[in-house]
Amino acid sequence: MRLDVTTAGFAARQAALQYGTPLSPLHRFEVSSGGTEDLTNADRLSNVWAEVPIISKESKSAYTLELTANIPPESAGQMVHVGLLLEDGTLYATATYSPETEGIFVDASTTFTFFALLTEGNTDGLQVTYSALDIDETATRIADQATAQINARTDAGMIEILKHLSGLNREILTQQDKLNTLETSHV
């Protein structure tokens, strides 16, 4: 989903620029079942049923940041609006989750992960799609990638060990030849 900066978020950013102070850091998301009429001018979201920390921040371009959060399994509700709060509590940006379906119900039996784009670039061509994440397929893919990396490192380590053993074997054969030569010459 694409987050739009609120009036309060814009004012916080302008104040930081005007006074040369740092903008309070991005801190957490609020998840709401809706009810906030004007997201752009909102100071708070109505009907908040979960507050979740940001678990990752990844720069996608000079003007776009991808944020990730998990709604834990003990929380459940209709996810309609999402708000991004700064550490000082300012509602910095908001979004409507899956507006074409009036949100999505998040079940209490699973962890729900969502991604949000905070951007100041032109997003006219941006298409946002929503789909369920197959946890088993994701876990299998992560395990396969980890196994491949472990195998590659193990193979590299084994090659180094074999090089050292080969060198030691050569040294043993050289010493054995010298010993045989000494024994032959003293007989």
Side-chain angles (χ1 to χ4, degrees):
M1 84 191 104
R2 188 192 82 213
L3 295 162
D4 295 313
V5 177
T6 63
T7 303
F10 182 75
R13 187 173 57 199
Q14 287 303 104
L17 290 171
Q18 181 179 0
Y19 300 113
T21 58
L23 182 65
S24 183
L26 300 175
H27 188 255
R28 67 187 185 279
F29 286 101
E30 287 184 336
V31 182
S32 156
S33 58
T36 306
E37 295 298 320
D38 183 3
L39 290 177
T40 301
N41 293 310
D43 290 328
R44 289 278 166 253
L45 292 180
S46 301
N47 304 312
V48 172
W49 55 269
E51 285 193 16
V52 293
I54 298 166
I55 57 171
S56 71
K57 301 172 190 171
E58 183 181 344
S59 181
K60 291 297 189 181
S61 73
Y63 302 104
T64 304
L65 185 66
E66 181 183 86
L67 306 167
T68 309
N70 285 340
I71 298 174
E74 58 271 9
S75 299
Q78 186 73 14
M79 182 170 158
V80 176
H81 294 143
V82 176
L84 174 61
L85 281 76
L86 300 179
E87 195 172 74
D88 67 8
T90 301
L91 182 61
Y92 185 75
T94 59
T96 300
Y97 191 88
S98 189
E100 58 279 348
T101 61
E102 297 179 10
I104 185 172
F105 184 76
V106 178
D107 193 305
S109 65
T110 59
T111 299
F112 183 80
T113 301
F114 65 91
F115 302 92
L117 292 177
L118 180 61
T119 184
E120 294 189 19
N122 183 346
T123 59
D124 291 341
L126 179 66
Q127 294 292 324
V128 178
T129 57
Y130 302 88
S131 63
L133 180 64
D134 184 344
I135 299 297
D136 292 333
E137 185 272 329
T138 302
T140 300
R141 189 176 66 240
I142 291 169
D144 289 347
Q145 289 173 351
T147 300
Q149 288 180 1
I150 290 168
N151 288 344
R153 289 184 180 163
T154 302
D155 290 348
M158 291 301 289
I159 289 170
E160 288 301 312
I161 289 170
L162 289 173
K163 284 181 186 176
H164 290 295
L165 288 176
S166 176
L168 287 172
N169 191 35
R170 224 174 300 126
E171 184 62 30
I172 289 171
L173 290 174
T174 302
Q175 294 300 324
Q176 186 64 46
D177 284 345
K178 287 180 182 177
L179 184 60
N180 288 343
T181 304
L182 285 173
E183 286 178 357
T184 306
S185 61
H186 284 56
V187 176

